[in-house]
Amino acid sequence: MSCDGEVQEASGKESAEPIRVVVTGAAGQIAYSLLYMVAKGDVFGPEQPLILHLLDIPPMMGVLEGVVMELDDCALPLLVSVVPTADPAVAFKDVDAAFLVGAMPRKQGMERKDLLSANVKIFKVQGEALDKYAKKDVKVLVVGNPANTNALVCSHYAPSIPKENFTAMTRLDQNRAQAQIAGRLGVRIMKVKNVIIWGNHSATQVPDARNASVEVNGTVKTVPEAVADDEFLKQQFLETVQKRGAAVIAARKMSSAMSAAKAASDHMRDWFAGTRDGEYVSMGVISDGSYGAPKDIVFSFPVQIQNRQWKIVQGLSVDEFTRSKLDVTAKELLEEKEEAMAVCAAD
């Protein structure tokens, strides 16, 4: 494994202090793609050395050993060391960033609500461990489903860490939505900006391209203007994004892994590096009541980020159709919150 001297030599100048990054469910499918992206500098930058903490359950320690071997064999200059463990006290010690990936996966025919009772217990334990061992400015991304409610539970059991430091991943949904619009218009993905995901990372999420823009043949237009098909945006686009996870499971017989890892990488990169001027991204964050969403649930909003602080974008237009959908996803999140807190209280 690379030592500090090798990190300095690779960057050609005095190396920064390594940051500690924990990935849970580290022997799983999503982590298998994510760990390489993180360790080679895609997330925290090409000059930032890091120490990876890999957490999984005791039966997975043999598999995790193989993952550590592969990280060794990648010979990544930024990777100072790797700490594989089944102990949350070790995993969360002094971490700067946390990817909470480990959770019971959704299988074909399962709804996210079916996962709730099993998974919120995991995130209660991890919240308590973060509270006790992690840095107080740790940035936490919850990937494991139901992600929004798991993030809320995790935050609840880590009262010494700001609620703003707990986020849920809706970037995969945003990436899916962006890809659908780009495909529909026959443009490259980077030509589509500011597609929004509102609400829950579930089938009630609200993909919204009404405030988005697209560059077509050198001209920037609104997405509704470029698509010129309101029914497409209300039906096919909405439903394709909402049901994309289930479609991947039906095809692969496993849940999204490569695309989920890429989205987690995108989410944390933007949190640390900031968003570009005039652009925003979707993140599940603690609601302050913006856009009529209930307070104190983790709700996906469009956010802009500076100095590692996110801020909900205000003043965007929400039409009557979108408003009605926002109410549905908010209701689901309130129900999940109530159920999750009851499970935790009974645990």
Side-chain angles (χ1 to χ4, degrees):
M1 190 57 60
S2 305
C3 68
D4 287 312
E6 290 168 321
V7 172
Q8 288 172 18
E9 188 180 330
S11 66
K13 59 184 176 184
E14 187 67 21
S15 174
E17 191 69 24
I19 61 170
R20 292 181 181 270
V21 179
V22 62
V23 177
T24 73
Q29 284 248 38
I30 294 172
Y32 193 71
S33 291
L34 176 62
L35 289 169
Y36 178 67
M37 295 180 199
V38 173
K40 80 181 179 74
D42 286 0
V43 179
F44 301 104
E47 303 290 341
Q48 179 58 65
L50 43 86
I51 296 165
L52 277 177
H53 293 208
L54 309 184
L55 177 67
D56 218 308
I57 55 175
M60 297 303 290
M61 285 300 104
V63 176
L64 196 56
E65 191 179 331
V67 172
V68 174
M69 287 181 201
E70 286 212 71
L71 284 167
D72 261 334
D73 296 349
C74 286
L76 295 158
L78 294 172
L79 191 54
V80 176
S81 62
V82 180
V83 182
T85 184
D87 183 356
V90 175
F92 292 104
K93 180 70 173 166
D94 294 332
V95 293
D96 299 273
F99 292 89
L100 305 188
V101 181
M104 182 189 292
R106 184 163 68 117
K107 297 184 176 69
Q108 200 164 353
M110 285 177 76
E111 287 299 318
R112 278 179 177 74
K113 284 186 176 181
D114 301 332
L115 298 176
L116 192 141
S117 59
N119 283 341
V120 294
K121 293 175 186 174
I122 295 170
F123 287 87
K124 176 183 176 181
V125 169
Q126 293 184 355
E128 290 167 343
L130 281 159
D131 193 57
K132 197 168 179 182
Y133 302 109
K135 290 185 177 175
K136 296 309 172 193
D137 62 351
V138 62
K139 302 291 186 276
V140 181
L141 167 59
V142 176
V143 177
N145 284 314
N148 296 55
T149 299
N150 287 340
L152 187 73
V153 167
C154 205
S155 168
H156 182 78
Y157 288 97
S160 69
I161 297 169
K163 290 186 186 306
E164 293 76 21
N165 291 25
F166 291 84
T167 62
M169 190 172 84
T170 53
R171 185 57 170 269
L172 176 54
D173 308 301
Q174 180 195 308
N175 288 350
R176 287 165 170 166
Q178 196 177 348
Q180 291 299 315
I181 296 295
R184 172 79 175 193
L185 295 172
V187 300
R188 292 182 67 188
I189 202 91
M190 73 278 242
K191 302 293 185 184
V192 181
K193 313 278 190 197
N194 296 344
V195 179
I196 299 167
I197 303 297
W198 302 98
N200 199 5
H201 173 61
S202 77
T204 68
Q205 65 175 266
V206 189
D208 177 10
R210 293 177 189 282
N211 292 282
S213 66
V214 60
E215 185 184 323
V216 183
N217 299 324
T219 303
V220 176
K221 303 177 177 183
T222 68
V223 165
E225 185 186 4
V227 170
D229 185 344
D230 204 45
E231 282 309 301
F232 166 77
L233 292 175
K234 285 182 174 178
Q235 293 287 330
Q236 188 183 332
F237 166 69
L238 188 83
E239 290 175 11
T240 299
V241 178
Q242 286 178 332
K243 297 175 180 177
R244 188 68 162 190
V248 171
I249 291 171
R252 279 189 85 225
K253 312 305 178 206
M254 290 184 285
S255 57
S256 305
M258 178 171 54
S259 56
K262 165 63 166 51
S265 172
D266 290 344
H267 177 120
M268 194 69 84
R269 182 199 63 229
D270 286 345
W271 200 353
F272 271 72
T275 49
R276 294 186 182 93
D277 287 347
E279 294 184 27
Y280 41 81
V281 293
S282 298
M283 289 169 60
V285 299
I286 192 74
S287 172
D288 63 356
S290 291
Y291 296 99
K295 290 185 178 181
D296 299 324
I297 57 173
V298 172
F299 193 93
S300 183
F301 291 101
V303 301
Q304 290 175 318
I305 306 162
Q306 281 187 316
N307 303 319
R308 301 184 186 178
Q309 303 293 320
W310 55 262
K311 189 175 179 182
I312 297 169
V313 177
Q314 299 294 339
L316 298 174
S317 63
V318 176
D319 63 13
E320 200 174 322
F321 173 81
T322 306
R323 172 81 266 157
S324 68
K325 299 288 184 186
L326 260 60
D327 292 342
V328 172
T329 197
K331 182 172 181 283
E332 181 180 61
L333 281 166
L334 286 170
E335 288 168 358
E336 283 188 14
K337 176 183 178 179
E338 189 177 341
E339 190 179 337
M341 291 308 174
V343 168
C344 290
D347 191 22

